[in-house]
Amino acid sequence: PPRALFPPLSNMAFAQSRVPRTTALAALAAAVATGAAGSPLLVPAFSGPEEGFGGASETEDYGLIQAWVEQALLREQLPQADESAFADEARSLRGKSPQDGHAQHDGHGRDGHGHHDGRKAEPVVTLKRKEVPVDPEGNMTKDGVELKMCADDMNITMQAIDIKGGLLQSFSLNGHNILLVRPHLDQMDGSIFWPSPQKDWGWPPPLAIDPTVHKNFTIKHDLALDLESKTFELTSPVWEERNLTLAKKVSVDTSRKSFIIDYSMRMSGGSTGKFAPWEISRVQAGGLTFFKTGSNETSGTWKPLRLKKIDGVTWFQQKGDVGQGKLYASTTPSRPDSPMAWLAHTDGKVVFVKCFYWLPDGTNAPEENQVEIYDGEDYVEMEQQGAYQTVFPGQPISWRVEWFLRAMPEGAKAKPGDKTLVEFADDLCH
């Protein structure tokens, strides 16, 4: 894959690990030496203790080296293994037997000589704890997690933190983040999970659920990683007024090249409650948000948004010139025979599509709807909700949302009425 798809190895593979940098470099050196007799593997141009690598030939196997180092770090093998072990593993990954040196398929669409055999690479998924940047410049970081999938020409990364309501802080394609990251910690950004309807708690959100507006950054969600299944889960403290706990479990579907978020709502203390799950994803101003038009909509007490309805699709081109406003709307399935609906957004460079189960009219929470868009003037919230239902003690309810992030499809334009964008979302969510 092109080198530009991946951050420097020095930053990604080593910086957040407990493995000494010199040990990791020795591992790479052993792997490079192993490939010397065959096609070039990686030619390091290492000029200082904190600098990256460069000078690789066009036939480098950068993605393979990256995957090998990351997996070795996750298994914590590097500190214990010796150079012969590194060399043996490198031979194996290159599809060569140390006995006969014959070329074999390497599982990455290449034979042992580095030639492509027409097959697509198997996606590589990595998960690790990480200090996550929480401001646009990356000057401030907080404890969190990074889940990443490398597949074909896509490097899709999700980062989350344990403060600010267990915030999904970024969602990036080849380094381009679609979610909003704001300069100050007490500003709302990223993607968050709230209980609906809002009329049950007013404003601000309950402290245990989302302490951002309260400016409390000591309250944390519990963060649990499963390195075997490559999943992580963020669980809120109990909202004591209602005995409610919220959680989100994030995984990757490598067959669909998507990220799966399984939300859950759980009651404790013998209480019951009635809620709907509510996902709020904040994106930069100036983009285009769209969904399939349903049977009803309202702006409630807010200023109405400037919408365009073209061929059964509602479009909101945000310009930030009319003040704050909101839309509450129903939607329709992606196709007549599909149970799935979608809400999508593009900034002209990438397309962000969220897929979820469609709700019939009347199953939404009071004074809410399945699809909601909020114009915050300098940002936009793209929101969707699940069914309004009773949550019993010991019987949590769950709600699945699937996230896709892709480059703009060929021929598509970030303009209301673009049929290519609609067909693209329909194809992903069915």
Side-chain angles (χ1 to χ4, degrees):
R3 184 188 184 95
L5 294 179
F6 302 100
L9 281 169
S10 57
N11 293 338
M12 183 163 71
F14 312 139
Q16 301 300 332
S17 74
R18 296 190 297 272
V19 178
R21 183 178 173 81
T22 53
T23 305
L25 289 175
L28 268 181
V32 172
T34 305
S39 58
L41 196 63
L42 182 70
V43 182
F46 185 61
S47 56
E50 297 302 326
E51 297 195 18
F53 297 90
S57 69
E58 290 184 358
T59 55
E60 70 180 6
D61 205 342
Y62 189 75
L64 184 57
I65 283 286
Q66 177 198 11
W68 169 68
V69 172
E70 285 189 342
Q71 291 176 26
L73 289 173
L74 287 173
R75 295 196 304 267
E76 298 184 347
Q77 289 183 345
L78 290 182
Q80 293 82 24
D82 57 22
E83 285 194 12
S84 62
F86 296 141
D88 288 344
E89 183 158 7
R91 288 190 189 99
S92 174
L93 280 171
R94 287 185 55 77
K96 291 183 178 180
S97 164
Q99 286 79 26
D100 59 24
H102 292 160
Q104 302 169 354
H105 289 302
D106 64 2
H108 291 257
R110 292 174 292 270
D111 62 23
H113 298 297
H115 302 301
H116 287 267
D117 63 8
R119 297 182 303 154
K120 289 190 175 182
E122 291 295 323
V124 175
V125 179
T126 57
L127 173 71
K128 61 184 176 183
R129 289 186 180 270
K130 182 181 176 68
E131 288 289 311
V132 173
V134 293
D135 70 304
E137 304 302 322
N139 296 324
M140 179 168 49
T141 62
K142 295 297 178 181
D143 292 342
V145 61
E146 178 181 272
L147 179 61
K148 177 170 54 182
M149 175 182 62
C150 298
D152 303 328
D153 60 346
M154 296 186 298
N155 183 0
I156 307 175
T157 305
M158 178 182 285
Q159 295 181 337
I161 54 178
D162 58 8
I163 60 172
K164 298 184 68 170
L167 191 72
L168 302 181
Q169 184 70 75
S170 67
F171 190 50
S172 305
L173 173 64
N174 300 336
H176 183 81
N177 178 29
I178 192 62
L179 295 180
L180 176 72
V181 180
R182 301 181 104 181
H184 304 293
L185 204 57
D186 61 354
Q187 294 177 303
M188 295 185 299
D189 56 5
S191 186
I192 195 73
F193 179 36
W194 287 347
S196 176
Q198 186 173 343
K199 74 180 187 67
D200 280 4
W201 44 265
W203 190 258
L207 182 63
I209 302 300
D210 184 359
T212 305
V213 180
H214 302 267
K215 299 185 179 182
N216 185 320
F217 306 111
T218 60
I219 296 177
K220 297 183 177 183
H221 276 45
D222 178 69
L223 172 59
L225 278 65
D226 186 332
L227 295 180
E228 183 175 356
S229 64
K230 300 295 191 299
T231 62
F232 70 87
E233 187 167 13
L234 285 155
T235 305
S236 77
V238 177
W239 174 22
E240 294 184 355
E241 183 179 333
R242 300 297 300 273
N243 289 326
L244 179 68
T245 300
L246 303 185
K248 58 175 76 77
K249 185 175 183 178
V250 184
S251 59
V252 172
D253 185 334
T254 56
S255 66
R256 290 171 59 79
K257 299 180 178 62
S258 63
F259 281 59
I260 305 295
I261 310 175
D262 288 306
Y263 293 104
S264 63
M265 312 179 81
R266 182 181 299 107
M267 299 297 297
S268 59
S271 301
T272 61
K274 197 167 186 180
F275 304 97
W278 182 8
E279 181 186 76
I280 302 100
S281 302
R282 303 177 182 110
V283 294
Q284 295 280 357
L288 178 66
T289 307
F290 54 104
F291 64 95
K292 291 208 159 180
T293 306
S295 60
N296 63 83
E297 67 178 47
T298 180
S299 59
T301 60
W302 293 91
K303 183 179 296 185
L305 303 183
R306 292 177 178 172
L307 305 172
K308 290 187 177 180
K309 297 181 180 181
I310 305 171
D311 296 331
V313 178
T314 298
W315 305 82
F316 174 57
Q317 180 74 68
Q318 202 268 355
K319 297 181 179 179
D321 59 349
V322 295
Q324 297 177 343
K326 185 150 186 176
L327 171 71
Y328 304 83
S330 62
T331 186
T332 58
S334 59
R335 294 174 180 168
D337 60 346
S338 173
M340 307 303 295
W342 52 261
L343 174 62
H345 178 86
T346 181
D347 60 1
K349 298 178 180 179
V350 298
V351 184
F352 177 28
V353 182
K354 305 199 288 185
C355 309
F356 43 88
Y357 282 101
W358 171 74
L359 293 182
D361 290 347
T363 58
N364 51 282
E367 300 178 22
E368 307 282 352
N369 219 322
Q370 180 157 39
V371 170
E372 301 183 6
I373 301 174
Y374 173 69
D375 182 356
E377 296 184 89
D378 62 345
Y379 71 99
V380 170
E381 291 180 348
M382 49 183 304
E383 317 167 21
Q384 78 281 352
Q385 299 191 13
Y388 185 55
Q389 55 190 302
T390 301
V391 186
F392 296 95
Q395 300 179 32
I397 63 170
S398 60
W399 180 55
R400 172 168 288 193
V401 180
E402 185 176 22
W403 284 18
F404 290 91
L405 191 60
R406 298 288 191 268
M408 282 284 282
E410 184 177 356
K413 296 181 180 179
K415 294 182 178 180
D418 189 276
K419 293 183 178 181
T420 301
L421 287 175
V422 176
E423 292 172 358
F424 187 69
D426 279 343
D427 288 342
L428 291 174
C429 304
H430 67 274

